[in-house]
Amino acid sequence: VLCEHSHGSTGICGPLYLDGGVWGKEWDNHMFVCNPVTSRINHDIIEFTGATPRAVEQPDFISTSDLWFRPVDVRMSPDGALYIADFYNRIIGHYEVPLDHPQRDRERGRIWRVVYTGKGAGDATMVNVAAADGPALLKLLGHDNLVVRTLATNRIAAEPELVAVKDLSYLLATAVDGQSFPARVHALWILERIGKLSDEQLFAAMDDADRALRVHALKVL
């Protein structure tokens, strides 16, 4: 992502990209960035010119008068909530004062949970990927939530005996139940990771009508 601004900080980190309508389509292509220096979570909208994404600065997503608020990472959970890791410390960087400085906090740290309450709120449910069987895992490859899709992808790649190669190949080649991207992209990566992606499948993906599949096929290549 091309980002021509620094959000007034030298320590932005832990970006999170929203997609798949997890918070409704109006929140797709939004990005949150942790800013432990200014005690904020910054906010950008990602706009595309062709294949080039550009970050357009927005009003902060979270700001506070608590100068100990040090958000260092933010992640989406399988139920669509945001979890914020808050270092919560008076000292921003380890280089500021000696390691034995008395004002270094060694006891506190906070985790914040942010829940979407807009249109469609409450529709999301926690998905137990660890308990899913093979057919359920295949279906989860097309889930709206990127975290769920990624967890399902990682589980199949780690336990390939759960899913037949022919089913992954079929999913890669066909829009099943209306699923094109992202299910086909995840099937592509699983086949690559387990060493079962053929040259013919890779070449076909590189020439597919689905732009996202072509992009990921080039990444695999």
Side-chain angles (χ1 to χ4, degrees), residues 3-204:
C3 187
E4 299 174 339
H5 52 273
S6 63
H7 289 294
S9 175
T10 57
I12 55 176
C13 58
L16 174 76
Y17 181 73
L18 291 181
D19 77 334
V22 176
W23 279 10
K25 292 298 182 183
E26 66 272 19
W27 280 98
D28 282 357
N29 298 322
H30 287 240
M31 186 171 71
F32 301 139
V33 182
C34 294
N35 196 333
V37 176
T38 63
S39 301
R40 299 167 185 265
I41 292 183
N42 303 130
H43 179 197
D44 295 295
I45 290 179
I46 308 303
E47 295 182 349
F48 287 84
T49 302
T52 303
R54 176 174 173 266
V56 180
E57 190 169 9
Q58 304 296 307
D60 293 326
F61 181 64
I62 293 177
S63 60
T64 176
S65 59
D66 183 354
L67 297 180
W68 281 38
F69 178 57
R70 308 291 183 197
V72 292
D73 204 3
V74 60
R75 286 289 180 266
M76 178 72 69
S77 73
D79 67 348
L82 291 183
Y83 283 84
I84 302 167
D86 178 5
F87 187 55
Y88 197 62
N89 205 311
R90 178 174 181 172
I91 308 300
I92 301 175
H94 293 294
Y95 49 82
E96 291 182 83
V97 296
L99 291 175
D100 58 356
H101 194 283
Q103 291 184 343
R104 281 188 179 275
D105 183 83
R106 302 180 186 278
E107 299 176 358
R108 298 171 182 84
R110 302 186 292 191
I111 297 176
W112 300 92
R113 184 172 185 263
V114 180
V115 180
Y116 173 70
T117 59
K119 183 178 180 181
D123 293 346
T125 56
M126 185 69 78
V127 178
N128 188 349
V129 178
D133 59 13
L137 287 170
L138 280 175
K139 187 175 181 180
L140 290 177
L141 297 181
H143 198 279
D144 285 343
N145 191 325
L146 174 61
V147 173
V148 173
R149 298 197 306 265
T150 302
L151 289 172
T153 297
N154 291 340
R155 176 142 185 250
I156 295 173
E159 303 176 66
E161 68 277 5
L162 293 173
V163 175
V165 171
K166 65 179 180 62
D167 292 333
L168 289 168
S169 297
Y170 180 75
L171 183 58
L172 171 60
T174 312
V176 180
D177 296 330
Q179 295 178 359
S180 179
F181 175 80
R184 298 177 71 198
V185 168
H186 286 272
L188 175 78
W189 278 109
I190 293 170
L191 288 168
E192 163 66 13
R193 289 171 64 179
I194 66 176
K196 298 296 183 180
L197 182 66
S198 69
D199 289 346
E200 290 76 15
Q201 288 174 313
L202 180 57
F203 295 151

